Amino acid sequence: MGAAIEVHKALGPGLLEKAYQECLYYKLQQDGLKVEKEKPMPLIFEEVKLECGYRIDLLVENKVIVELKSVEVLNDVHLAQTLTYIKLGDYKLGLLINFNVALLKQGIKRVVNNL
């Protein structure tokens, strides 16, 4: 969360999601963390693995999903998307971050799966 706050302080609100993603990816790597960008998220239905084009914005240390938005308001579908990615990947924790806010801590939601 600290790296996201640094990126937001430097860039401010109003940019496209991709700009925040690239800068946060860079910052997390600079902090010595293992980060994957645009990690494919297959959908497994019964015994079939479907490559549907779903992608996790950032996966940090192979443990925490970071889903980035730059929208006027986070809504339930954004939260549901993050929770679905957490469940599909059998992760425990995710962060849903909306960079299009004046104060970033107002745009961060912690999402958990059975904690």
Side-chain angles (χ1 to χ4, degrees):
M1 288 185 357
I5 291 169
E6 286 184 47
V7 169
H8 189 264
K9 280 183 181 178
L11 301 177
L15 300 177
L16 295 175
E17 177 185 311
K18 191 71 170 167
Y20 298 112
Q21 180 186 37
E22 291 297 328
C23 293
L24 185 55
Y25 175 74
Y26 170 79
K27 184 67 183 152
L28 291 170
Q29 284 188 317
Q30 291 300 108
D31 289 346
L33 297 170
K34 178 185 176 212
V35 186
E36 293 179 71
K37 179 174 52 171
E38 297 286 328
K39 181 172 175 53
M41 174 58 62
L43 174 65
I44 299 173
F45 177 74
E46 296 179 355
E47 296 86 34
V48 180
K49 183 177 178 180
L50 305 167
E51 298 295 337
C52 299
Y54 297 116
R55 298 191 179 279
I56 298 170
D57 288 337
L58 298 172
L59 180 62
V60 182
E61 292 292 318
N62 208 28
K63 294 180 183 179
V64 179
I65 287 177
V66 180
E67 185 63 27
L68 304 175
K69 301 294 179 197
S70 184
V71 293
E72 194 169 317
V73 176
L74 288 176
N75 58 45
D76 291 343
V77 73
H78 299 124
L79 193 59
Q81 176 190 21
T82 306
L83 187 56
T84 297
Y85 286 171
I86 290 170
K87 289 178 179 178
L88 286 174
D90 197 29
Y91 300 104
K92 299 289 183 208
L93 179 63
L95 292 173
L96 174 59
I97 304 174
N98 181 20
F99 279 90
N100 198 27
V101 292
L103 187 60
L104 190 65
K105 72 179 187 176
Q106 297 171 339
I108 298 176
K109 295 207 180 283
R110 189 171 182 256
V111 185
V112 296
N113 181 24
N114 296 323
L115 286 182

